[in-house]
Amino acid sequence: MFFHRTPRFVQQLYPSLIWRKKTKDKTIFLTFDDGPIPGLTEFVLDTLHKSHVKATFFCVGGNLNKNRNIAVRTIEEGHQLGNHTFNHLNGWKNSTTDYLKNIVECEQELHSLDQKKGLFRPPYGKLKRSQIKLIKQNQKIIMWDVLSGDYSKNISPKDCLFNTIKATKRGSIVLFHDNIKAEKNIKYALPRYIEHFQKKGYSFGLV
Ligand SMILES: [Zn+2]
């Protein structure tokens, strides 16, 4: 069970993190976590390319290292990459020192691809206050207000699409996954989600 919208009280507990962008424009910010993964990330890139949409990919450093060619394509097509740690660590289960080291390892992969945007997203959305304080010194911590739940075995592709559309507002930061667990849902929901909002006059921006 999860909330498709991040509850307001959670957002208020951590006001220094970025949950949603303040805008009066019809703009949505798509983000994809956990890649690059052969096949699936390429599906996402093809979908975005067809609809002229740019997005932000929060990459796992280990996957960047293994699938550098996909990362290069992602950048060449106008998307931006952010940091999602090297080993997809859970902040609550790791010391601040180990956690920050892992972020730096991912940062090195990003820098070797000339991606120096200073964008960070914590795996599982889990961070200790001590980690937040240090990460914030040189990175923007980008959370989300809309969770597609694409990785969940308990929702159907149709519900994933419907609930994600329903949860989205102007300025929403929406989380999908280019992760094998999400394959069935994202392949159905992503193209339809984009089409739905483009028909309503929305555009998609970079966080
Ligand atoms: Zn993740």
Side-chain angles (χ1 to χ4, degrees):
M1 177 58 199
F2 57 87
F3 297 102
H4 281 278
R5 275 198 68 75
T6 307
R8 188 159 287 274
F9 77 87
V10 176
Q11 300 187 30
Q12 284 165 346
L13 268 176
Y14 298 96
S16 69
L17 311 186
I18 299 165
W19 298 93
R20 181 181 165 198
K21 297 269 222 175
K22 276 203 181 106
T23 175
K24 287 185 180 133
D25 300 331
K26 288 178 148 183
T27 309
I28 298 167
F29 302 90
L30 287 182
T31 63
F32 298 90
D33 284 11
D34 299 355
I37 298 289
L40 195 47
T41 303
E42 286 147 333
F43 164 81
V44 171
L45 291 174
D46 290 344
T47 304
L48 299 177
H49 185 73
K50 268 184 229 154
S51 18
H52 309 285
V53 167
K54 305 290 179 231
T56 305
F57 290 74
F58 288 96
C59 298
V60 171
N63 290 340
L64 277 176
N65 188 273
K66 277 184 283 189
N67 305 304
R68 207 179 151 85
N69 56 329
I70 306 174
V72 169
R73 179 184 159 191
T74 308
I75 297 161
E76 279 173 0
E77 295 188 0
H79 309 293
Q80 62 180 1
L81 309 187
N83 191 322
H84 200 47
T85 76
F86 194 88
N87 296 104
H88 206 262
L89 295 191
N90 179 335
W92 294 358
K93 293 185 180 165
N94 284 274
S95 73
T96 297
T97 313
D98 289 347
Y99 194 74
L100 290 182
K101 255 197 203 157
N102 212 259
I103 293 175
V104 170
E105 275 182 62
C106 182
E107 203 62 21
Q108 284 163 352
E109 293 292 333
L110 289 167
H111 282 197
S112 75
L113 291 155
D114 213 24
Q115 287 289 292
K116 298 175 180 172
K117 312 272 178 183
L119 301 171
F120 176 72
R121 172 170 286 159
Y124 317 100
K126 290 178 177 168
L127 281 177
K128 295 178 192 164
R129 296 218 182 248
S130 56
Q131 293 161 346
I132 293 176
K133 212 172 131 191
L134 291 167
I135 296 164
K136 266 183 49 195
Q137 290 177 354
N138 52 16
Q139 316 235 14
K140 280 194 215 157
I141 305 177
I142 311 289
M143 305 298 276
W144 59 89
D145 66 317
V146 179
L147 182 61
S148 67
D150 51 2
Y151 55 83
S152 170
K153 276 184 283 187
N154 301 322
I155 68 170
S156 69
K158 275 189 180 166
D159 284 345
C160 175
L161 173 64
F162 178 77
N163 295 335
T164 308
I165 286 175
K166 218 176 82 178
T168 302
K169 300 181 176 183
R170 287 176 196 226
S172 276
I173 300 174
V174 185
L175 169 52
F176 286 97
H177 292 84
D178 46 341
N179 168 328
I180 293 302
K181 275 192 239 164
E183 183 163 12
K184 193 173 79 176
N185 285 332
I186 197 177
K187 282 193 166 171
Y188 178 86
L190 181 65
R192 291 168 177 85
Y193 177 88
I194 292 172
E195 196 190 339
H196 173 89
F197 282 105
Q198 283 186 330
K199 273 191 186 153
K200 286 183 168 284
Y202 279 77
S203 59
F204 293 86
L206 296 175
V207 293

